[in-house]
Amino acid sequence: MTTPLLSLQGLTKAYPGVVANDQVSFDIGEGEVHALLGENGAGKSTLVKMIYGLVKPDSGTMKLRGQVFAPPEPRAARADGIAMVFQHFSLFDALNVAENIALGMENPPPMGDLSARIREVSETYGLPLDPFRTVGDLSAGERQRVEIIRCLLQDPKLLIMDEPTSVLTPQEVEILFETLNKLRSEGTSILYISHKLEEIRTLCDHATILRLGKNVGECVPSETSARDMAEMMVGATLQTPERSGREFGKVALDVSGLSVHSPSEFGTALKNIHMTVRKGEVLGIGGVAGNGQDELLGVLSGEILTSADAIKFNGQPIGKLGPTARRKLGVLTAPEERLGHAAAPDMSLTENALLTGSVREGLVRSGFLKWSEATRFAEKIIKAFDVRTPGPENAARSLSGGNLQKFVIGREVLQNPDVLVVNQPTWGVDAAAAAAIRQAILDLAAEGTAVICISQDLDELMEISDSFAALNEGRLSAPRLTAVLTVDEIGLMMGGAHGMEVAHV
Amino acid sequence: MLEKRPQPSKMWSYATPLVAVIATMVFGGVLFALLGKNPVEAIGTIFWEPLFGEFAFYYRPQLLVKGAPLVLIAIGLSLGFRAGIWNIGAEGQYIMGAIFGAAAGLAFYPLEAWFIFPIMVMAGALGGWIWATIPAVLKVRFGTNEILVSLMLVYVAEQMLASVSLGLLKNPEGFGFPGSRNLQQYESAYNAELIAGSGMHWGVVTALIAVIFAYVLLNRHMLGFHIRLTGEAPRAARFAGVNPARLVLFCLGLSGALAGLAGMFEVSGPSGVVSIDFNVGYGFTAIIVAFLGRLHPVGILLAGGLMALTYIGGEIAQSQLGLPAAAIQVFQGMLLFFLLAFDLLTNYRIRAARSEVA
């Protein structure tokens, strides 16, 4: 057998109170696309950070082509040919593509040479990108290309990708896969982290599954069913969300002729939006990030005010009401950004339960807070949504992303909303938790709540929504019944033409 | 190397002020030793003499007199600071409170009546409130920076103080000297000691009430929760339904009113006279007190006491040991420096860096 590109042996990393990685060993072969699978908190990020030199293992060894490999910092890892595309992009909106790439380089060449190289790489790998465009104007998919090209310029031996497709349209995913396949054929190895099992099945040669920090199994994805992989990940049998046949009631939320400017400079203005949601209906709103999703949520939550008649709840105009007044009526929302928007990072879960629960849960009496009842509400959320935390006194930032997401969604669901608007309810959440959240949303709809689910995960929207509309540059397409839609039609509705032509591969 | 804690350490958030005071004593001692003084004696003079020394009967009331305005102003500032609203101009609001309060009292001179002092209290609060509401309104309407506007208004207030001392409020029987009538000699307007020789005047009582009020507000009331939420995560606060403009008006207005009250109690009590050099920097020192007290009401109460102690102890050390005034100021500066430095340990822990992998 040939020497693997990277061989991990018995890697262990413990943080106070939790063992993030426990004796993890596996090999990544030359020119192999290797999937790393696992629930949130399974230790995928820690493992990847050790390979990239951000975290040092407590014990265990890594070997790169047979040589001992222990990068003290990311720069050393990059010098040895490891490159990484992070889940969250680190780009400056106000700079152009070439400038952003130059910022990440040790010795950037002159701008002219650099932009020529960016063009060259982007054409070789079928990632069309103009080096002189401002990053603030790019779609999420295009931003990801900037990150990928930044990595490819280093000529990496191993490319690590953390959840790369979560922000892409189906067409963009296809382009990405062509690129990755081309890289593989040139001998570059790829370590691919994702929750989307179908993608892993089409793309990856080999998969390692982590659970609670331990390597619990390996498989060849193309020969294993998605369900089997998910069950290995979770360590239990998985429930698929059930939807009972529902009758829709009267129109609960009616948005008509809604246009607003975005409060932020690189935001998207909403243009003449019309939609209605009936009681018991789930309206899915798809679209690539940055096409007005944040603004739409802000308008519905009451953070951005509009003319009164633009939004009606049960016939009553609410466009001018703030968040508290809307909560009182029964219009609840859960924003995408967990830390800093849906929850205050340094505050306890009890305080975060109070953040939106004060009105409907009666946690305030003539301005004074009822702490014990707020704690009880937080405990109720933790219990009902299986939020893994020692208790409600812990700070929100101490929770893993998936657990905090369960808390944030649970907080709204348990308040019995009449209208619930969620943005990216399962972003970065593991399969089991995502299924639980989707089931909760469907249960709520079955009880007659009108639900709007804004998401970039099309599989999710197909699974839970009754009708589907797409946001594109602040415009909303006319909603259509989900049951009769094909993936291609959805792609067109999303205006999925962000550099659609798979350029000159 | 430093490692971020998963959540702030409770233990360290209480321990840092103590550690900072101890570190200040050690390094202050070194400083005094370098100046050729006995460090133990110098530190002892600063911290011991005012409380338990031979002349403590004289210094102890002074602690209350100096501490009360610091605490009163710092409490108001801390509410704004908690919400990320930076009122740096408490000194100006303090001056305006004194001018308004004194003017209200002197308007009735020489009438003696029970209602004069309460009116002065209200006028003092009003003066400070107006002066702080100017930056608040400008911020809300035009997006100006409240730090700059409130600070600039300090200098405007100082000019107003000079102007009224020489003009509007000048004592007609003062033989042409600048400064107003002495309110200590005007019974209805005099903020006298409530118990003779204790230093306890209405300002001290108000400061204690403010501490309790702020504590209840921050820990038990929705408004206090919104203040903390706005400081921690402004976007989450908007999501929770906080109206940022209203919060700015409230926090700046309240801190201004409290600073105005402090000025009014000072001018009608310990100082007695509106004069050009009436203000001695309480409004700026209160910023240090607010941070020294971790923006926590009880902490501010303790910090105000400690600050007053170093002021009075410092003066004693100057006169008895001949320490230069600058050395005392360096000593006070050290206190803030160490506090902020050790503060890091609340959110981070120190870990021995390891260069090789085991």
mmCIF file of all heavy atoms in Angstrom, chain A residues 56 303 323-324 327 333 335 340-341 346 351 355-356 358 367-369 371 394-395 397, chain B residues 5-8 219-222 225 228-229 232 235-236 238-241 347 354 358:
data_model
loop_
_atom_site.group_PDB
_atom_site.id
_atom_site.type_symbol
_atom_site.label_atom_id
_atom_site.label_comp_id
_atom_site.label_asym_id
_atom_site.label_seq_id
_atom_site.Cartn_x
_atom_site.Cartn_y
_atom_site.Cartn_z
ATOM 1 N N LYS A 56 -3.267 22.786 19.083
ATOM 2 C CA LYS A 56 -2.277 21.714 19.198
ATOM 3 C C LYS A 56 -2.896 20.523 19.898
ATOM 4 O O LYS A 56 -3.567 20.677 20.906
ATOM 5 C CB LYS A 56 -1.072 22.201 19.993
ATOM 6 C CG LYS A 56 -0.122 22.994 19.159
ATOM 7 C CD LYS A 56 1.081 23.384 19.967
ATOM 8 C CE LYS A 56 1.543 24.760 19.592
ATOM 9 N NZ LYS A 56 0.599 25.818 19.921
ATOM 10 N N GLU A 303 -38.282 44.942 13.378
ATOM 11 C CA GLU A 303 -37.044 45.702 13.542
ATOM 12 C C GLU A 303 -36.935 46.789 12.486
ATOM 13 O O GLU A 303 -36.313 47.817 12.705
ATOM 14 C CB GLU A 303 -35.839 44.768 13.452
ATOM 15 C CG GLU A 303 -35.689 43.876 14.652
ATOM 16 C CD GLU A 303 -34.758 42.717 14.355
ATOM 17 O OE1 GLU A 303 -35.208 41.729 13.767
ATOM 18 O OE2 GLU A 303 -33.585 42.830 14.694
ATOM 19 N N PRO A 323 -41.228 45.239 17.535
ATOM 20 C CA PRO A 323 -41.166 43.806 17.846
ATOM 21 C C PRO A 323 -42.046 43.395 19.035
ATOM 22 O O PRO A 323 -42.702 42.352 18.986
ATOM 23 C CB PRO A 323 -39.691 43.584 18.195
ATOM 24 C CG PRO A 323 -38.960 44.688 17.534
ATOM 25 C CD PRO A 323 -39.894 45.852 17.507
ATOM 26 N N THR A 324 -42.069 44.204 20.085
ATOM 27 C CA THR A 324 -42.816 43.808 21.275
ATOM 28 C C THR A 324 -44.314 43.747 20.983
ATOM 29 O O THR A 324 -44.991 42.795 21.363
ATOM 30 C CB THR A 324 -42.558 44.803 22.416
ATOM 31 O OG1 THR A 324 -41.151 45.006 22.506
ATOM 32 C CG2 THR A 324 -43.058 44.269 23.737
ATOM 33 N N ARG A 327 -45.077 40.705 18.978
ATOM 34 C CA ARG A 327 -45.059 39.477 19.787
ATOM 35 C C ARG A 327 -46.359 39.346 20.554
ATOM 36 O O ARG A 327 -46.909 38.264 20.687
ATOM 37 C CB ARG A 327 -43.885 39.518 20.766
ATOM 38 C CG ARG A 327 -42.628 39.102 20.090
ATOM 39 C CD ARG A 327 -41.454 38.895 21.010
ATOM 40 N NE ARG A 327 -40.286 38.849 20.153
ATOM 41 C CZ ARG A 327 -39.332 39.751 20.134
ATOM 42 N NH1 ARG A 327 -39.342 40.741 20.994
ATOM 43 N NH2 ARG A 327 -38.350 39.659 19.274
ATOM 44 N N THR A 333 -40.580 35.648 15.530
ATOM 45 C CA THR A 333 -39.550 35.436 14.519
ATOM 46 C C THR A 333 -38.299 34.852 15.162
ATOM 47 O O THR A 333 -38.064 35.028 16.348
ATOM 48 C CB THR A 333 -39.156 36.767 13.845
ATOM 49 O OG1 THR A 333 -38.848 37.710 14.870
ATOM 50 C CG2 THR A 333 -40.264 37.302 12.983
ATOM 51 N N PRO A 335 -34.296 34.964 13.989
ATOM 52 C CA PRO A 335 -33.327 35.384 12.975
ATOM 53 C C PRO A 335 -32.252 34.338 12.722
ATOM 54 O O PRO A 335 -32.090 33.398 13.504
ATOM 55 C CB PRO A 335 -32.693 36.644 13.576
ATOM 56 C CG PRO A 335 -33.400 36.934 14.830
ATOM 57 C CD PRO A 335 -34.141 35.721 15.233
ATOM 58 N N GLY A 340 -25.626 37.330 18.925
ATOM 59 C CA GLY A 340 -25.640 38.767 18.700
ATOM 60 C C GLY A 340 -26.942 39.273 18.107
ATOM 61 O O GLY A 340 -27.206 40.460 18.147
ATOM 62 N N HIS A 341 -27.754 38.383 17.548
ATOM 63 C CA HIS A 341 -29.040 38.851 17.026
ATOM 64 C C HIS A 341 -30.181 38.111 17.722
ATOM 65 O O HIS A 341 -30.976 38.693 18.441
ATOM 66 C CB HIS A 341 -29.107 38.672 15.510
ATOM 67 C CG HIS A 341 -30.245 39.416 14.874
ATOM 68 N ND1 HIS A 341 -30.555 39.329 13.559
ATOM 69 C CD2 HIS A 341 -31.147 40.257 15.395
ATOM 70 C CE1 HIS A 341 -31.601 40.091 13.290
ATOM 71 N NE2 HIS A 341 -31.977 40.661 14.388
ATOM 72 N N ASP A 346 -23.055 36.815 25.825
ATOM 73 C CA ASP A 346 -22.532 36.741 27.187
ATOM 74 C C ASP A 346 -23.615 36.652 28.244
ATOM 75 O O ASP A 346 -23.323 36.604 29.431
ATOM 76 C CB ASP A 346 -21.621 37.947 27.475
ATOM 77 C CG ASP A 346 -20.282 37.798 26.774
ATOM 78 O OD1 ASP A 346 -19.772 36.661 26.748
ATOM 79 O OD2 ASP A 346 -19.760 38.786 26.249
ATOM 80 N N GLU A 351 -31.633 34.722 30.796
ATOM 81 C CA GLU A 351 -31.804 36.076 30.273
ATOM 82 C C GLU A 351 -32.175 36.045 28.798
ATOM 83 O O GLU A 351 -32.962 36.864 28.326
ATOM 84 C CB GLU A 351 -30.513 36.879 30.478
ATOM 85 C CG GLU A 351 -30.289 37.229 31.927
ATOM 86 C CD GLU A 351 -28.920 37.828 32.188
ATOM 87 O OE1 GLU A 351 -27.914 37.182 31.850
ATOM 88 O OE2 GLU A 351 -28.852 38.913 32.742
ATOM 89 N N LEU A 355 -35.470 37.421 26.651
ATOM 90 C CA LEU A 355 -35.271 38.356 25.540
ATOM 91 C C LEU A 355 -36.497 38.440 24.637
ATOM 92 O O LEU A 355 -36.926 39.526 24.274
ATOM 93 C CB LEU A 355 -34.044 37.894 24.759
ATOM 94 C CG LEU A 355 -33.358 38.879 23.836
ATOM 95 C CD1 LEU A 355 -31.868 38.638 23.856
ATOM 96 C CD2 LEU A 355 -33.850 38.766 22.429
ATOM 97 N N THR A 356 -37.059 37.310 24.267
ATOM 98 C CA THR A 356 -38.275 37.404 23.460
ATOM 99 C C THR A 356 -39.497 36.885 24.203
ATOM 100 O O THR A 356 -40.618 37.095 23.762
ATOM 101 C CB THR A 356 -38.172 36.592 22.141
ATOM 102 O OG1 THR A 356 -38.158 35.207 22.477
ATOM 103 C CG2 THR A 356 -36.952 36.947 21.365
ATOM 104 N N SER A 358 -40.648 37.636 27.204
ATOM 105 C CA SER A 358 -41.189 38.412 28.318
ATOM 106 C C SER A 358 -42.680 38.684 28.195
ATOM 107 O O SER A 358 -43.414 38.567 29.168
ATOM 108 C CB SER A 358 -40.424 39.729 28.450
ATOM 109 O OG SER A 358 -40.523 40.464 27.255
ATOM 110 N N GLY A 367 -43.366 46.004 34.714
ATOM 111 C CA GLY A 367 -41.980 46.395 34.488
ATOM 112 C C GLY A 367 -40.971 45.577 35.258
ATOM 113 O O GLY A 367 -39.798 45.556 34.915
ATOM 114 N N PHE A 368 -41.401 44.871 36.314
ATOM 115 C CA PHE A 368 -40.434 44.111 37.094
ATOM 116 C C PHE A 368 -40.351 42.675 36.598
ATOM 117 O O PHE A 368 -41.342 42.068 36.187
ATOM 118 C CB PHE A 368 -40.803 44.147 38.582
ATOM 119 C CG PHE A 368 -40.467 45.473 39.197
ATOM 120 C CD1 PHE A 368 -41.393 46.501 39.209
ATOM 121 C CD2 PHE A 368 -39.211 45.703 39.722
ATOM 122 C CE1 PHE A 368 -41.073 47.730 39.741
ATOM 123 C CE2 PHE A 368 -38.884 46.932 40.257
ATOM 124 C CZ PHE A 368 -39.823 47.954 40.263
ATOM 125 N N LEU A 369 -39.124 42.152 36.636
ATOM 126 C CA LEU A 369 -38.879 40.844 36.048
ATOM 127 C C LEU A 369 -39.189 39.740 37.046
ATOM 128 O O LEU A 369 -38.907 39.863 38.228
ATOM 129 C CB LEU A 369 -37.405 40.737 35.642
ATOM 130 C CG LEU A 369 -36.906 41.855 34.744
ATOM 131 C CD1 LEU A 369 -35.409 41.782 34.594
ATOM 132 C CD2 LEU A 369 -37.568 41.753 33.389
ATOM 133 N N TRP A 371 -37.781 36.561 37.733
ATOM 134 C CA TRP A 371 -36.629 35.726 37.364
ATOM 135 C C TRP A 371 -36.922 34.241 37.479
ATOM 136 O O TRP A 371 -36.499 33.448 36.653
ATOM 137 C CB TRP A 371 -35.412 36.078 38.218
ATOM 138 C CG TRP A 371 -34.702 37.295 37.744
ATOM 139 C CD1 TRP A 371 -34.502 38.445 38.439
ATOM 140 C CD2 TRP A 371 -34.096 37.505 36.456
ATOM 141 N NE1 TRP A 371 -33.811 39.353 37.670
ATOM 142 C CE2 TRP A 371 -33.557 38.803 36.460
ATOM 143 C CE3 TRP A 371 -33.972 36.723 35.310
ATOM 144 C CZ2 TRP A 371 -32.895 39.347 35.369
ATOM 145 C CZ3 TRP A 371 -33.313 37.256 34.218
ATOM 146 C CH2 TRP A 371 -32.785 38.561 34.255
ATOM 147 N N ASN A 394 -25.989 29.101 32.269
ATOM 148 C CA ASN A 394 -24.809 29.192 31.422
ATOM 149 C C ASN A 394 -24.984 30.242 30.327
ATOM 150 O O ASN A 394 -26.081 30.464 29.835
ATOM 151 C CB ASN A 394 -24.530 27.831 30.782
ATOM 152 C CG ASN A 394 -23.898 26.884 31.783
ATOM 153 O OD1 ASN A 394 -22.691 26.879 31.964
ATOM 154 N ND2 ASN A 394 -24.731 26.125 32.462
ATOM 155 N N ALA A 395 -23.855 30.839 29.947
ATOM 156 C CA ALA A 395 -23.900 31.879 28.925
ATOM 157 C C ALA A 395 -24.220 31.262 27.563
ATOM 158 O O ALA A 395 -23.826 30.129 27.283
ATOM 159 C CB ALA A 395 -22.564 32.608 28.863
ATOM 160 N N ARG A 397 -22.998 31.867 24.750
ATOM 161 C CA ARG A 397 -21.844 31.578 23.901
ATOM 162 C C ARG A 397 -21.167 30.265 24.276
ATOM 163 O O ARG A 397 -20.345 29.760 23.523
ATOM 164 C CB ARG A 397 -20.849 32.736 23.931
ATOM 165 C CG ARG A 397 -19.979 32.828 25.159
ATOM 166 C CD ARG A 397 -18.801 33.792 24.912
ATOM 167 N NE ARG A 397 -17.837 33.653 25.975
ATOM 168 C CZ ARG A 397 -17.346 34.666 26.680
ATOM 169 N NH1 ARG A 397 -17.723 35.884 26.425
ATOM 170 N NH2 ARG A 397 -16.469 34.452 27.620
ATOM 171 N N ARG B 5 -12.080 32.128 27.875
ATOM 172 C CA ARG B 5 -12.905 31.222 28.667
ATOM 173 C C ARG B 5 -14.239 31.011 27.962
ATOM 174 O O ARG B 5 -14.740 31.931 27.319
ATOM 175 C CB ARG B 5 -13.202 31.848 30.039
ATOM 176 C CG ARG B 5 -11.997 31.995 30.928
ATOM 177 C CD ARG B 5 -12.425 32.678 32.221
ATOM 178 N NE ARG B 5 -11.264 33.098 32.991
ATOM 179 C CZ ARG B 5 -10.668 32.321 33.891
ATOM 180 N NH1 ARG B 5 -11.126 31.112 34.111
ATOM 181 N NH2 ARG B 5 -9.629 32.756 34.549
ATOM 182 N N PRO B 6 -14.821 29.818 28.145
ATOM 183 C CA PRO B 6 -16.143 29.612 27.521
ATOM 184 C C PRO B 6 -17.172 30.575 28.081
ATOM 185 O O PRO B 6 -18.065 31.021 27.380
ATOM 186 C CB PRO B 6 -16.483 28.163 27.859
ATOM 187 C CG PRO B 6 -15.508 27.737 28.907
ATOM 188 C CD PRO B 6 -14.318 28.616 28.814
ATOM 189 N N GLN B 7 -17.082 30.906 29.354
ATOM 190 C CA GLN B 7 -17.908 31.992 29.861
ATOM 191 C C GLN B 7 -17.152 32.748 30.934
ATOM 192 O O GLN B 7 -16.216 32.241 31.516
ATOM 193 C CB GLN B 7 -19.253 31.478 30.369
ATOM 194 C CG GLN B 7 -19.171 30.312 31.317
ATOM 195 C CD GLN B 7 -20.579 29.856 31.659
ATOM 196 O OE1 GLN B 7 -21.478 30.659 31.758
ATOM 197 N NE2 GLN B 7 -20.768 28.578 31.837
ATOM 198 N N PRO B 8 -17.565 34.026 31.170
ATOM 199 C CA PRO B 8 -16.817 34.861 32.103
ATOM 200 C C PRO B 8 -16.708 34.184 33.477
ATOM 201 O O PRO B 8 -17.661 33.578 33.943
ATOM 202 C CB PRO B 8 -17.659 36.130 32.199
ATOM 203 C CG PRO B 8 -18.562 36.113 31.042
ATOM 204 C CD PRO B 8 -18.745 34.691 30.639
ATOM 205 N N ASN B 219 -31.201 44.762 38.085
ATOM 206 C CA ASN B 219 -31.391 43.344 38.363
ATOM 207 C C ASN B 219 -32.831 42.885 38.341
ATOM 208 O O ASN B 219 -33.092 41.698 38.192
ATOM 209 C CB ASN B 219 -30.777 42.990 39.712
ATOM 210 C CG ASN B 219 -29.273 43.054 39.659
ATOM 211 O OD1 ASN B 219 -28.639 42.266 38.992
ATOM 212 N ND2 ASN B 219 -28.718 44.036 40.333
ATOM 213 N N ARG B 220 -33.753 43.815 38.515
ATOM 214 C CA ARG B 220 -35.133 43.380 38.663
ATOM 215 C C ARG B 220 -36.077 43.989 37.640
ATOM 216 O O ARG B 220 -37.232 43.604 37.575
ATOM 217 C CB ARG B 220 -35.645 43.740 40.067
ATOM 218 C CG ARG B 220 -34.928 43.054 41.179
ATOM 219 C CD ARG B 220 -35.739 41.904 41.736
ATOM 220 N NE ARG B 220 -34.967 41.139 42.676
ATOM 221 C CZ ARG B 220 -34.352 40.003 42.369
ATOM 222 N NH1 ARG B 220 -34.443 39.508 41.165
ATOM 223 N NH2 ARG B 220 -33.664 39.343 43.259
ATOM 224 N N HIS B 221 -35.609 44.982 36.879
ATOM 225 C CA HIS B 221 -36.548 45.703 36.036
ATOM 226 C C HIS B 221 -36.244 45.498 34.559
ATOM 227 O O HIS B 221 -35.102 45.318 34.163
ATOM 228 C CB HIS B 221 -36.528 47.197 36.374
ATOM 229 C CG HIS B 221 -37.759 47.915 35.910
ATOM 230 N ND1 HIS B 221 -37.869 48.431 34.645
ATOM 231 C CD2 HIS B 221 -38.928 48.163 36.524
ATOM 232 C CE1 HIS B 221 -39.072 48.991 34.504
ATOM 233 N NE2 HIS B 221 -39.729 48.829 35.630
ATOM 234 N N MET B 222 -37.299 45.512 33.760
ATOM 235 C CA MET B 222 -37.175 45.313 32.320
ATOM 236 C C MET B 222 -36.266 46.370 31.698
ATOM 237 O O MET B 222 -35.468 46.074 30.811
ATOM 238 C CB MET B 222 -38.573 45.387 31.699
ATOM 239 C CG MET B 222 -38.654 44.795 30.323
ATOM 240 S SD MET B 222 -38.336 43.016 30.384
ATOM 241 C CE MET B 222 -38.299 42.632 28.666
ATOM 242 N N PHE B 225 -32.776 45.487 32.248
ATOM 243 C CA PHE B 225 -32.436 44.361 31.375
ATOM 244 C C PHE B 225 -32.154 44.867 29.963
ATOM 245 O O PHE B 225 -31.197 44.449 29.314
ATOM 246 C CB PHE B 225 -33.593 43.354 31.373
ATOM 247 C CG PHE B 225 -33.391 42.192 30.452
ATOM 248 C CD1 PHE B 225 -32.435 41.229 30.731
ATOM 249 C CD2 PHE B 225 -34.149 42.053 29.299
ATOM 250 C CE1 PHE B 225 -32.244 40.149 29.886
ATOM 251 C CE2 PHE B 225 -33.964 40.976 28.447
ATOM 252 C CZ PHE B 225 -33.002 40.025 28.749
ATOM 253 N N ARG B 228 -28.726 46.506 29.830
ATOM 254 C CA ARG B 228 -27.628 45.538 29.753
ATOM 255 C C ARG B 228 -27.604 44.859 28.389
ATOM 256 O O ARG B 228 -26.542 44.669 27.788
ATOM 257 C CB ARG B 228 -27.782 44.488 30.856
ATOM 258 C CG ARG B 228 -27.527 45.069 32.233
ATOM 259 C CD ARG B 228 -27.413 43.973 33.273
ATOM 260 N NE ARG B 228 -28.685 43.333 33.513
ATOM 261 C CZ ARG B 228 -28.854 42.012 33.517
ATOM 262 N NH1 ARG B 228 -27.851 41.206 33.287
ATOM 263 N NH2 ARG B 228 -30.043 41.503 33.756
ATOM 264 N N LEU B 229 -28.786 44.526 27.883
ATOM 265 C CA LEU B 229 -28.872 43.845 26.592
ATOM 266 C C LEU B 229 -28.299 44.720 25.481
ATOM 267 O O LEU B 229 -27.566 44.242 24.607
ATOM 268 C CB LEU B 229 -30.338 43.504 26.309
ATOM 269 C CG LEU B 229 -30.656 42.634 25.106
ATOM 270 C CD1 LEU B 229 -29.932 41.301 25.227
ATOM 271 C CD2 LEU B 229 -32.148 42.398 24.996
ATOM 272 N N GLU B 232 -24.574 44.570 25.637
ATOM 273 C CA GLU B 232 -23.999 43.270 25.285
ATOM 274 C C GLU B 232 -24.156 42.973 23.800
ATOM 275 O O GLU B 232 -23.246 42.446 23.169
ATOM 276 C CB GLU B 232 -24.710 42.152 26.064
ATOM 277 C CG GLU B 232 -24.617 42.280 27.559
ATOM 278 C CD GLU B 232 -23.554 41.360 28.121
ATOM 279 O OE1 GLU B 232 -22.942 40.640 27.330
ATOM 280 O OE2 GLU B 232 -23.368 41.382 29.335
ATOM 281 N N ARG B 235 -27.830 44.442 18.435
ATOM 282 C CA ARG B 235 -28.766 43.916 17.453
ATOM 283 C C ARG B 235 -29.827 43.052 18.141
ATOM 284 O O ARG B 235 -31.009 43.096 17.791
ATOM 285 C CB ARG B 235 -27.987 43.091 16.427
ATOM 286 C CG ARG B 235 -28.645 43.132 15.086
ATOM 287 C CD ARG B 235 -27.771 42.708 13.967
ATOM 288 N NE ARG B 235 -28.651 42.333 12.862
ATOM 289 C CZ ARG B 235 -28.411 41.335 12.036
ATOM 290 N NH1 ARG B 235 -27.325 40.612 12.184
ATOM 291 N NH2 ARG B 235 -29.245 41.064 11.073
ATOM 292 N N ALA B 236 -29.388 42.282 19.127
ATOM 293 C CA ALA B 236 -30.339 41.462 19.873
ATOM 294 C C ALA B 236 -31.306 42.357 20.645
ATOM 295 O O ALA B 236 -32.479 42.027 20.812
ATOM 296 C CB ALA B 236 -29.602 40.533 20.831
ATOM 297 N N ARG B 238 -32.415 45.317 19.696
ATOM 298 C CA ARG B 238 -33.444 45.777 18.739
ATOM 299 C C ARG B 238 -34.461 44.675 18.501
ATOM 300 O O ARG B 238 -35.660 44.907 18.435
ATOM 301 C CB ARG B 238 -32.792 46.129 17.389
ATOM 302 C CG ARG B 238 -32.009 47.398 17.406
ATOM 303 C CD ARG B 238 -32.132 48.058 16.064
ATOM 304 N NE ARG B 238 -33.516 48.473 15.829
ATOM 305 C CZ ARG B 238 -33.860 49.547 15.169
ATOM 306 N NH1 ARG B 238 -32.946 50.322 14.669
ATOM 307 N NH2 ARG B 238 -35.124 49.852 14.986
ATOM 308 N N PHE B 239 -33.933 43.455 18.364
ATOM 309 C CA PHE B 239 -34.800 42.304 18.134
ATOM 310 C C PHE B 239 -35.743 42.108 19.326
ATOM 311 O O PHE B 239 -36.893 41.726 19.172
ATOM 312 C CB PHE B 239 -33.931 41.067 17.897
ATOM 313 C CG PHE B 239 -34.710 39.799 17.729
ATOM 314 C CD1 PHE B 239 -35.624 39.657 16.697
ATOM 315 C CD2 PHE B 239 -34.537 38.741 18.595
ATOM 316 C CE1 PHE B 239 -36.339 38.489 16.538
ATOM 317 C CE2 PHE B 239 -35.247 37.571 18.447
ATOM 318 C CZ PHE B 239 -36.153 37.441 17.417
ATOM 319 N N ALA B 240 -35.228 42.393 20.523
ATOM 320 C CA ALA B 240 -36.054 42.232 21.723
ATOM 321 C C ALA B 240 -37.072 43.359 21.862
ATOM 322 O O ALA B 240 -37.918 43.325 22.742
ATOM 323 C CB ALA B 240 -35.167 42.178 22.956
ATOM 324 N N GLY B 241 -36.975 44.380 20.998
ATOM 325 C CA GLY B 241 -37.968 45.445 21.030
ATOM 326 C C GLY B 241 -37.499 46.707 21.717
ATOM 327 O O GLY B 241 -38.309 47.563 22.058
ATOM 328 N N ASN B 347 -12.308 37.127 31.412
ATOM 329 C CA ASN B 347 -12.730 36.504 30.161
ATOM 330 C C ASN B 347 -11.684 35.586 29.545
ATOM 331 O O ASN B 347 -11.988 34.830 28.643
ATOM 332 C CB ASN B 347 -13.113 37.576 29.140
ATOM 333 C CG ASN B 347 -14.525 38.061 29.366
ATOM 334 O OD1 ASN B 347 -15.442 37.267 29.476
ATOM 335 N ND2 ASN B 347 -14.693 39.358 29.485
ATOM 336 N N ARG B 354 2.971 25.802 24.897
ATOM 337 C CA ARG B 354 3.849 24.665 24.650
ATOM 338 C C ARG B 354 4.277 24.690 23.199
ATOM 339 O O ARG B 354 3.458 24.790 22.299
ATOM 340 C CB ARG B 354 3.138 23.355 24.970
ATOM 341 C CG ARG B 354 2.999 23.161 26.468
ATOM 342 C CD ARG B 354 2.557 21.750 26.757
ATOM 343 N NE ARG B 354 1.338 21.453 26.020
ATOM 344 C CZ ARG B 354 0.800 20.250 26.006
ATOM 345 N NH1 ARG B 354 1.387 19.273 26.640
ATOM 346 N NH2 ARG B 354 -0.308 20.033 25.352
ATOM 347 N N ALA B 358 3.287 16.809 22.218
ATOM 348 C CA ALA B 358 3.697 15.639 22.994
ATOM 349 C C ALA B 358 3.565 14.371 22.156
ATOM 350 O O ALA B 358 2.666 14.260 21.343
ATOM 351 C CB ALA B 358 2.848 15.516 24.245
#
